[in-house]
């Protein structure tokens, strides 16, 4: 149950960070310019969201808020969950 809660916290924060990145890009960085390239906006927002999420995971790990296996899975990324699960088993 703890893993499910930790994952939902991380996914929710990534969605919020993406929204904040989008708003920051549109309202502060390029408020006087008409950027019509949707890809540029998405790339900036995704990069902003991942950067904020990594900072959040570091803070949560220092404070001991999240489960260590959940933070490890978030840091490793998709497609490498087998490696992360094996590392989590060795850590326990």
């Amino acid at each position: 149950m703890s893993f499910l809660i930790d994952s939902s916290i991380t996914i929710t924060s990534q969605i919020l960070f993406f929204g904040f990145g989008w708003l920051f890009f549109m309202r502060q960085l390029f408020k006087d310019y008409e950027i019509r390239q949707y890809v540029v906006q998405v790339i900036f927002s995704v990069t902003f969201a991942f950067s904020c999420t990594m900072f959040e995971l570091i803070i949560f790990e220092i404070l001991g808020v999240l489960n260590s296996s959940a933070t490890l899975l978030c840091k490793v990324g998709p497609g490498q969950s087998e490696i992360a699960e094996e590392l989590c088993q060795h850590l326990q």
Side-chain angles (χ1 to χ4, degrees):
M1 187 68 166
S2 176
F3 177 75
L4 191 60
I5 293 170
D6 293 346
S7 297
S8 65
I9 289 171
T10 306
I11 290 170
T12 304
S13 66
Q14 282 183 342
I15 292 169
L16 290 174
F17 289 145
F18 180 84
F20 289 142
W22 188 278
L23 287 174
F24 180 73
F25 183 84
M26 294 304 292
R27 295 192 183 199
Q28 294 296 322
L29 291 180
F30 290 101
K31 62 182 173 185
D32 296 333
Y33 302 105
E34 290 187 22
I35 302 291
R36 300 204 187 268
Q37 294 180 352
Y38 183 73
V39 176
V40 174
Q41 298 169 3
V42 171
I43 289 174
F44 177 83
S45 299
V46 167
T47 304
F48 183 80
F50 283 152
S51 300
C52 290
T53 302
M54 187 59 70
F55 183 68
E56 177 188 44
L57 289 175
I58 291 169
I59 297 297
F60 282 173
E61 191 169 340
I62 290 170
L63 296 176
V65 174
L66 296 178
N67 190 0
S68 63
S69 63
T71 57
L72 183 62
L73 283 175
C74 292
K75 288 179 187 176
V76 170
Q80 300 176 349
S81 60
E82 295 86 17
I83 297 170
E85 288 176 12
E86 195 173 309
L87 285 172
C88 289
Q89 289 175 358
H90 288 291
L91 290 174
Q92 295 173 354

